Amino acid sequence: MNTALSWIKAYVPELECTDQEYCDAMTLSGTKVEGFERKDKNLEKIVVGQIISIDSHPDANKLIVCQVDIGAEQIQIVTGAHNVKVGDKVPVVLDGGKVAGGHDGGPLPEEGIRIKAGKLRGIPSNGMMCSVEELGCDRNMYPDAPEEGIYIFPDSVEVGADAVELMGLHDTVFEYEITSNRVDCYSVLGVAREAAATFRKPFIAPEVKAVGNDEDVHDYISVEVQDADLCPRYCARVCKNIKIGPSPKWMQQRLAASGIRPINNLVDITNYVMEEYGQPMHAFDLDTIAGHKIIVRRAKDGDEFQTLDGQMRKLDSEVLMICDAEKEIGIAGIMGGENSKITDQVHTVLFEAATFQGPNIRKSAKRIGLRTDASGKFEKGLEPHNAEEAIHRACQLIEELGCGEVVGGMVDIAEPMSERKVLPFRPDQYNKLLGTQISEEEMFAIFESLEIEITKNSDGSMGLVIPYFRQDLNCDADIAEEVVRFYGYDKVPTTLPLGEATTGKLSYKLRIEQKASDIAEYCGFSQGMIYSFESPKVFDKLRIPEGDVLRGTVTISNPLGEDFSIMRTLPLNGILESLAVNYNRRNKNVKLYELGNIYLPKALPLTELPEERMQFTLGFYGEGDFYTMKGAAEEFFMAVGMHKKPVYDPHSEKPFLHPGRQAEIKYEGVCVGYLGEVHPDVTDNYGIGTKTYVAVLDMPNIIPFTTFDRKYEGIAKYPAVSRDLSMVVPKEILVGDIEQIILQRGGKLLESCELFDIYEGVQIKQGFKSVAYSVTFRAKDRTLEENDINGVMKKILNGLEQMGIELRQ
């Protein structure tokens, strides 16, 4: 959004500030200024001169010698321009003056070009006559400028006057970054309101009158809106006896400053009102409208339409069209049609000002590949009340500029429009949100500058009546923002935020996950980041049987490809793919871990969002074995306060793990994960040519057992007593089962038990193995005696005997 400061001052006439002051103040009050540029940059000592005489140069056929009256004196200028004649009034740069650039229209030099008196082929020249390019302008923005040569002023200008001022170049163009919720600021009036409120100056809106003759517009045109959901309001007015010509200089200059090329009075008026009110308008040649009827309806699938730019556009049923009784004549909110365009032979014009559904315009513009200034405004969601005032403004300008005669009345097809919003006035709440002590009187002054009215409700409370153009004001926080941005952000005192967030710590869940990362890295694992999207082929690579619940996945409706078409239900594929890449690049001893979600649908087809479960996955190949992975898992359990020994069930039957080298991890009877060696067939599927180990820990099941509470005990005062147990154990009994008996029956005196030997050989009978434990006892309040130890050992041995275990003789 670009605006000229002179245009802003037309509505805020008391505004007095430097360009930088304007930039800083507007940015601080919420209307961010990206930058600004002086249009008269590098233009110095340029006046209007009148050519008194023209003579040929005695030594150059292409040069002429002009005597030029500049008001205070007469000077001689040598020029190569041949579009000038005696009596012409032209811009003249005096000796020591400056121009913005060269006549070739190339890039403008940063410092401009200094003009000095000198001689051209021996003839003195005391200045230079200028083209629009040398004044830093573009012929597109000055349609009356010659294609080549010196710019000629009208005869009415005064000799010696400031030429830069006459061309409207004593001005500054500001570029704004407008947020999408401030639709009102996509107009000059909206920015001017902000400037008036920022500088606490009166805002004077243009006085709009519904002009028109005694005729009735309904005798000229009728309107039917078939899709009111996409067009809440459609206003139409008719102007006849149109006289096409150039628009006045002030209008051309304002449009040019906004980056819009002046064309003629009719087109310029529609563009001017679009910039002024932020309401796009369109003008149709009424004589080209069949049946003198407008129909607003959806296009048909497969239709084609030629727009004003001469391009054929493919349409579908989601695109809203403006039609007459026989054909389409425009794409609603985007561009008119070639078949109803305004030409120099137009006699009667139909003006359209409508409100279209913003999302539909945005999607339609993208669908047909055409985005215009009009669609850019419509897609933000315009206010229906704005259309009426904008079309009256355009018709008023038609009469004021002598462009035609306005027919009385307006066709207005509108859905019921909402009343102005009334919000409760709650100054205490605003101050609480802001941490300020702004008085009610100060707030009232701000509201008045924003055209927010104060009303008294029936219960005696105060209310705020919000203007139609402020669609963004809906709650206390919005009103508080309005108060503080004009009160001054720089005046808000520094305060600490209230509430629990002040402590500034991670949630408990994130602390557990952070501890998982710490332990994994302590154990030598590096973190991997893996996609949650996978290919359905993953299940075959992992030997997941058909019909398994893991194959029930969430399918992505718009996948990047088949390899990313489902949400993963187990985390192993990603870690194995990463290990495979490292293996094939000949990296040795690779350890990786990941903390990521799996996605388990609650029902298929989906009726609600799937369950997301965080999985702590570890994988490695190289140095290490099953017990290396088991040790890493137990390091994590100890770090998060899970001090009881987990149980490892070897009968987990995971198809992707080695059948004899896997275990399900249970803690207090709850499955918290699994670990083991990857099945050889699976490693082959991934191209890993060595033993690979993985562990998957289910964080939602682990977190309930975790704690960061720690109880520290002093150094033991009394000695420990150790006993060794050497046993002959049936092969099918696991050492974990033996430890459970020792821990259960050891009671409070048992401090620890450690396995230090397993042996199978000729000295041990068939079907058995030798297992040896070191068992340590200690009492906190006394030195243990032999009877104490013997009693506990007897309980332990009785439990072991019941399992068929014998002491080794």
Side-chain angles (χ1 to χ4, degrees), residues 37-185:
E37 182 177 5
R38 289 289 308 180
K39 296 183 69 180
D40 58 2
K41 178 183 178 182
N42 296 327
L43 301 180
E44 298 176 10
K45 298 178 70 174
I46 304 177
V47 299
V48 176
Q50 185 171 27
I51 300 176
I52 304 301
S53 66
I54 299 177
D55 297 309
S56 299
H57 194 290
D59 296 324
N61 293 332
K62 293 185 178 182
L63 297 179
I64 56 176
V65 181
C66 302
Q67 302 301 320
V68 182
D69 179 10
I70 59 172
E73 59 178 319
Q74 183 173 311
I75 62 174
Q76 178 173 288
I77 296 176
V78 179
T79 180
H82 291 279
N83 70 312
V84 294
K85 62 183 184 299
V86 173
D88 282 348
K89 295 180 178 179
V90 297
V92 175
V93 188
L94 304 179
D95 180 25
K98 217 187 228 189
V99 293
H103 66 277
D104 58 357
L108 301 180
E110 185 66 27
E111 300 299 327
I113 299 174
R114 184 73 64 184
I115 303 300
K116 295 182 179 180
K119 290 184 177 181
L120 289 176
R121 291 289 186 95
I123 302 297
S125 181
N126 297 310
M128 183 181 80
M129 293 181 280
C130 303
S131 66
V132 290
E133 289 83 4
E134 288 162 331
L135 296 174
C137 301
D138 187 335
R139 283 195 305 274
N140 288 329
M141 300 305 177
Y142 289 85
D144 57 338
E147 185 173 347
E148 290 184 2
I150 304 303
Y151 183 76
I152 310 297
F153 284 114
D155 291 337
S156 58
V157 303
E158 182 183 349
V159 174
D162 185 346
V164 177
E165 182 177 357
L166 289 172
M167 296 189 71
L169 297 178
H170 284 318
D171 203 354
T172 307
V173 177
F174 290 89
E175 180 185 357
Y176 307 89
E177 180 186 331
I178 307 297
T179 54
S180 58
N181 66 322
R182 289 303 305 275
V183 183
D184 57 304
C185 286

Side-chain angles (χ1 to χ4, degrees), residues 35 146 153 197 222 244 297 395 444 457 549 617 695 794:
F153 284 114
S222 63
I244 299 294
R297 61 168 176 81
C395 291
F444 289 152
N457 300 322
V549 66
T617 308
K794 186 174 182 180

Side-chain angles (χ1 to χ4, degrees), residues 499-528:
E500 212 172 300
T502 308
T503 55
K505 63 180 181 181
L506 294 175
S507 66
Y508 187 79
K509 174 179 176 291
L510 292 178
R511 289 173 66 197
I512 296 295
E513 292 174 10
Q514 183 63 57
K515 184 61 70 174
S517 294
D518 293 343
I519 293 300
E521 290 166 12
Y522 167 75
C523 293
F525 290 80
S526 298
Q527 185 171 17

